[in-house]
Amino acid sequence: MDDLDALARQQLDEARASAHGRSARLFLRDGPLRQTVIALVAGAELDEHNAPPAASLQVLHGRVRLTGAGGGLELTTGQVADPRERHGLLAVEDSAVLLTAVTEIAAGARPTASAGTMRD
């Protein structure tokens, strides 16, 4: 069993030591399901990329901004969003997030929540 708090702290330490200011660890892989802890130091970002077929992003520590066509959606510790369109991620402060992604969905099955929805 993985301890998310410990993983977040470890990835933040690694991000602080990295020349790029970021670090990630894929800790769960089960068929199409992936869970990754991503850490970014303040000001670091992930360039725009396509979203997987289904995903959620939960802030474990800090504050981040989802960037992209829909404008910026800012999230703080404990908040969850389901980015569905092309987006980037900017750390407003040192941050760690949990990305849960499904890499494939059976034909005809589609998630129903609207793009970029925030839940808390």
Side-chain angles (χ1 to χ4, degrees):
M1 175 183 296
D2 288 293
D3 178 333
L4 284 178
D5 287 332
L7 282 171
R9 284 191 305 272
Q10 177 185 20
Q11 292 311 303
L12 276 167
D13 288 344
E14 290 183 22
R16 290 176 181 126
S18 166
H20 299 289
R22 58 184 186 246
S23 180
R25 176 162 175 232
L26 172 68
F27 69 92
L28 185 141
R29 175 182 241 162
D30 185 6
L33 177 66
R34 308 281 187 272
Q35 286 193 302
T36 305
V37 171
I38 302 168
L40 303 163
V41 298
E45 61 186 310
L46 299 177
D47 291 335
E48 270 196 25
H49 53 277
N50 292 326
S56 69
L57 187 73
Q58 178 181 358
V59 181
L60 301 173
H61 174 80
R63 188 164 42 120
V64 298
R65 183 175 300 122
L66 280 170
T67 60
L73 175 63
E74 199 161 291
L75 303 167
T76 62
T77 301
Q79 291 184 310
V80 178
D82 59 341
R84 301 243 181 122
E85 297 177 357
R86 188 168 174 80
H87 64 279
L89 185 67
L90 170 69
V92 177
E93 56 190 46
D94 288 1
S95 302
V97 299
L98 171 64
L99 171 64
T100 301
V102 176
T103 58
E104 59 186 71
I105 295 178
R110 292 191 51 117
T112 56
S114 61
T117 303
M118 183 177 74
R119 298 194 177 102
D120 50 9

